[in-house]
């Protein structure tokens, strides 16, 4: 079997059918791939919808478990995967039709550990065709994972990549029991161990933008959980960067980009904190910890082209000056009442 598509699902009845149908509409034989849906304790009709689909499409399998979180569901999916390659797809997203055949051919012909591709933001279920299809020989050159990290403004979300399963297992990578941003350190860790990676500019994935995104939830419990996971991401990226330097990695742009990505999560913490009502002492404590991890002030954030837009430059200038930052927060909160 060539490919295992692993789909963690929790209360996904609204979108899971679209997700599955997009997986069926592919230019590969049904015996060459499987769809492993891990129902993570859903309370709605998710499991029943998947079961009904499996009756018509036998390459579909349902694995049910008590609610443990997205990371644990992905880990479960790996243990049940039979494919040579694995792809993680979220249940509320989908993929363009007739694109997986091209990806699998590239993976096999070039003996790749990881193949990256493009994603497209959507609000509907009808963006079914890839817009920028191109001959497979136009794939970017094969690079090591470290070179990939240094060459591209890489995306952390795992649904940008297909991965060889044997490489994945040998890498020792796994998903933590965290709700937010765990791809932020999982993906670069995986790339740091890869010998052969490549990228093709083909818009395979469809990311469904939700009106119920994590940035809209301003409850204290939600914010504290988000901050905790963002802080964990900053720590893990610090650990990865220093581990690579100790291993003798000298690729300056790869190390610089990891540092900048680390500081980007500090940027997100500050933006979210400004809009909250949490005490300033909490932000001061977080920034103190971030400074120990070389993540604040955000001195590397603007040194790479990825984030050099004017808004990023202006906000980073403000955020790096604690006195100015705290004054802005106080003013903003008075303005909002």
């Amino acid at each position: 079997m060539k490919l295992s598509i692993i789909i963690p699902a929790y209360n996904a009845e609204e979108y899971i059918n679209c997700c599955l149908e997009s997986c069926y509409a592919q230019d590969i034989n049904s015996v060459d791939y499987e769809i492993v849906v891990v129902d993570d304790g859903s309370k709605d009709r998710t499991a029943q919808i998947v079961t009904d689909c499996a009756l018509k499409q036998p390459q579909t399998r349902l694995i049910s478990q008590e609610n443990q979180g997205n990371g644990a569901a992905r880990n479960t999916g790996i243990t049940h995967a039979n494919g040579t390659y694995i792809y993680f797809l979220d249940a509320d997203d989908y993929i363009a039709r007739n694109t997986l055949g091209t990806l699998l051919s590239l993976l096999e012909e070039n003996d790749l550990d990881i193949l990256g591709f493009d994603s497209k933001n959507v609000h509907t279920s009808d963006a079914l065709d890839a817009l920028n299809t191109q001959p497979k020989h136009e794939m970017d050159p094969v690079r090591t994972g470290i070179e990939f990290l240094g060459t591209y403004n890489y995306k952390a979300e795992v649904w940008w990549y297909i991965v060889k399963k044997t490489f994945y297992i040998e890498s020792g990578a796994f998903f933590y029991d965290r709700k937010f941003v765990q791809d932020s350190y999982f993906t670069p860790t995986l790339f740091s161990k890869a010998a052969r990676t490549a990228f093709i500019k083909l818009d395979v994935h469809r990311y469904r933008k939700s009106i119920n995104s994590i940035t809209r939830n301003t409850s204290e419990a939600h914010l504290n959980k988000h901050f905790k996971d963002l802080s964990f991401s900053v720590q893990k990226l610090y650990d990865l960067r220093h581990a690579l330097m100790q291993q003798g990695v000298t690729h300056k742009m790869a190390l610089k980009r990891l540092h900048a990505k680390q500081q980007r999560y500090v940027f997100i913490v500050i933006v979210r904190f400004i809009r909250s009502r949490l005490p300033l002492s909490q932000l001061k404590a977080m920034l103190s910890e971030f400074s120990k991890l070389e993540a604040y002030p955000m001195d590397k954030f603007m040194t790479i082209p990825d984030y050099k837009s004017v808004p990023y430059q202006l906000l980073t200038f403000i955020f790096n000056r604690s006195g100015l930052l705290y004054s802005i927060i106080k003013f903003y909160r008075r303005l909002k009442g």
Side-chain angles (χ1 to χ4, degrees), residues 10-14 39 42-48:
Y10 177 73
N11 290 349
E13 65 177 5
E14 184 176 359
D39 179 48
S42 295
K43 306 300 182 184
D44 62 2
R45 296 185 60 254
T46 296
Q48 185 59 56

Side-chain angles (χ1 to χ4, degrees), residues 121-136:
N121 292 343
V122 299
H123 293 280
T124 66
S125 302
D126 57 1
L128 300 177
D129 294 309
L131 300 178
N132 54 343
T133 53
Q134 58 181 340
K136 58 186 177 184

Side-chain angles (χ1 to χ4, degrees), residues 66-229:
E66 294 183 2
N67 182 252
Q68 300 175 49
N70 193 52
R74 287 173 175 171
N75 289 334
T76 297
I78 285 290
T79 65
H80 289 85
N82 299 308
T84 302
Y85 300 95
I86 53 177
Y87 178 52
F88 297 105
L89 178 63
D90 286 354
D92 52 350
D93 296 339
Y94 60 104
I95 52 178
R97 57 189 167 194
N98 297 329
T99 52
L100 293 184
T102 296
L103 300 182
L104 287 173
S105 293
L106 291 171
L107 284 156
E108 294 172 334
E109 293 169 9
N110 294 279
D111 190 25
L112 298 176
D113 296 322
I114 306 174
L115 175 61
F117 40 84
D118 275 337
S119 177
K120 178 180 179 180
N121 292 343
V122 299
H123 293 280
T124 66
S125 302
D126 57 1
L128 300 177
D129 294 309
L131 300 178
N132 54 343
T133 53
Q134 58 181 340
K136 58 186 177 184
H137 65 266
E138 293 188 23
M139 181 187 78
D140 287 1
V142 176
R143 296 177 168 91
T144 68
I146 292 294
E147 290 169 341
F148 191 103
L149 295 177
T151 301
Y152 302 99
N153 178 17
Y154 73 89
K155 308 299 184 182
E157 295 84 2
V158 292
W159 31 255
W160 291 82
Y161 312 101
I162 290 182
V163 182
K164 183 188 293 184
K165 186 184 178 185
T166 53
F167 159 70
Y168 180 95
I169 299 299
E170 291 168 1
S171 76
F174 65 93
F175 292 96
Y176 285 76
D177 185 17
R178 296 270 172 173
K179 185 173 183 179
F180 303 117
V181 299
Q182 61 177 301
D183 291 359
S184 63
Y185 43 88
F186 172 87
T187 296
T189 299
L190 197 63
F191 267 99
S192 72
K193 301 174 184 293
R196 296 181 60 82
T197 71
F199 177 83
I200 182 170
K201 193 169 180 56
L202 177 63
D203 59 314
V204 174
H205 179 262
R206 300 292 182 265
Y207 173 70
R208 194 188 301 272
K209 301 190 72 172
S210 172
I211 61 172
N212 297 316
S213 68
I214 60 175
T215 59
R216 294 175 182 268
N217 190 332
T218 58
S219 72
E220 184 173 336
H222 173 86
L223 285 170
N224 282 326
K225 175 62 176 172
H226 196 198
F227 290 148
K228 184 177 180 180
D229 286 357

